Amino acid sequence: MLIKDLTGERFGRLVVIGDSNQRTKQGQVIWKCICDCGNYSLVSSSNLRGTKTMSCGCYAKEKAKSTNNARTKDYNLDLARKRKKTDFKENTSLSGISEKKMLSTNKSGVRGVYWDKSRKRWVAKIEFQGVSQTLGYFIDKKNAINARKEAEEKYFKPILDKYKKTDSAGKQNQSTNDK
């Protein structure tokens, strides 16, 4: 059987540089190729000709990464726009700090308190105005919960009270002006 030499031919991002001296179980030549990204790969004749293999794998990785990044970026932009319109004050989402929702994986029953397996301790954390702060590592879960509650009082309560008053006053002033 006569084998067509594919050396020098381009298939997608791959350029055949020679016969690898290996064969598939069906007897097809496995070609040594160089990809545009610089990686080498071994590809059978049928995969090259059938356009099944068009790169060393870099194209699929790039495509997946850009698709995921675009989706994540779009989602985050939409979320930020919605929040900014409604409740972003002083670099803080008012609904985010007042919500009582927790992740389904939460074992402590309190937002910002979780078990650290490596330290074998309960961890209390808080995020406020874009800054995450570890409040401490605790043997007793109650102490971690108390630390989180104290931090919420210190950081969350003043800003929630401030903007609750402003919103109430704003609504009152508006209804007074309408009369």
Side-chain angles (χ1 to χ4, degrees):
M1 183 168 111
L2 186 62
I3 298 172
K4 182 182 178 203
D5 187 5
L6 300 178
T7 304
E9 289 192 38
R10 175 175 283 278
F11 298 89
R13 293 184 176 190
L14 297 173
V15 176
V16 178
I17 56 175
D19 186 337
S20 70
N21 296 321
Q22 296 177 28
R23 300 293 182 263
T24 65
K25 287 181 182 177
Q26 294 78 26
Q28 293 179 13
V29 175
I30 298 178
W31 298 96
K32 187 189 285 187
C33 302
I34 187 164
C35 186
D36 290 348
C37 72
N39 288 328
Y40 293 92
S41 59
L42 299 174
V43 185
S44 70
S45 298
S46 62
N47 284 350
L48 286 172
R49 287 198 187 109
T51 67
K52 184 174 181 180
T53 306
M54 302 297 287
S55 75
C56 66
C58 64
Y59 176 73
K61 288 177 188 173
E62 286 171 19
K63 188 174 178 182
K65 188 176 180 181
S66 68
T67 302
N68 289 339
N69 284 346
R71 284 185 192 145
T72 303
K73 188 176 179 182
D74 289 346
Y75 174 78
N76 288 339
L77 281 173
D78 288 345
L79 188 62
R81 282 187 197 117
K82 286 175 189 171
R83 283 188 170 168
K84 208 163 206 125
K85 285 179 186 173
T86 58
D87 74 340
F88 242 81
K89 308 288 185 195
E90 298 178 34
N91 200 27
T92 300
S93 166
L94 299 181
S95 65
I97 65 174
S98 63
E99 284 179 356
K100 298 299 178 196
K101 285 185 190 176
M102 283 181 280
L103 295 174
S104 61
T105 56
N106 185 302
K107 303 278 190 266
S108 71
V110 177
R111 282 179 69 184
V113 176
Y114 64 93
W115 179 253
D116 184 333
K117 288 180 187 176
S118 64
R119 287 189 167 96
K120 296 185 172 122
R121 298 274 192 270
W122 287 97
V123 181
K125 283 191 167 193
I126 194 162
E127 186 171 327
F128 182 66
Q129 294 182 327
V131 178
S132 182
Q133 182 179 358
T134 301
L135 303 169
Y137 299 90
F138 305 88
I139 294 171
D140 187 16
K141 179 169 80 169
K142 287 180 186 175
N143 293 338
I145 292 170
N146 287 337
R148 170 64 188 212
K149 297 289 183 198
E150 287 172 12
E152 286 178 7
E153 283 290 315
K154 179 179 176 182
Y155 296 109
F156 294 174
K157 190 175 184 315
I159 196 168
L160 288 171
D161 289 346
K162 177 180 177 181
Y163 287 102
K164 187 190 300 182
K165 289 175 189 171
T166 303
D167 289 344
S168 301
K171 288 176 187 172
Q172 262 182 340
N173 291 340
Q174 200 173 30
S175 60
T176 309
N177 293 338
D178 292 341
K179 291 181 181 176

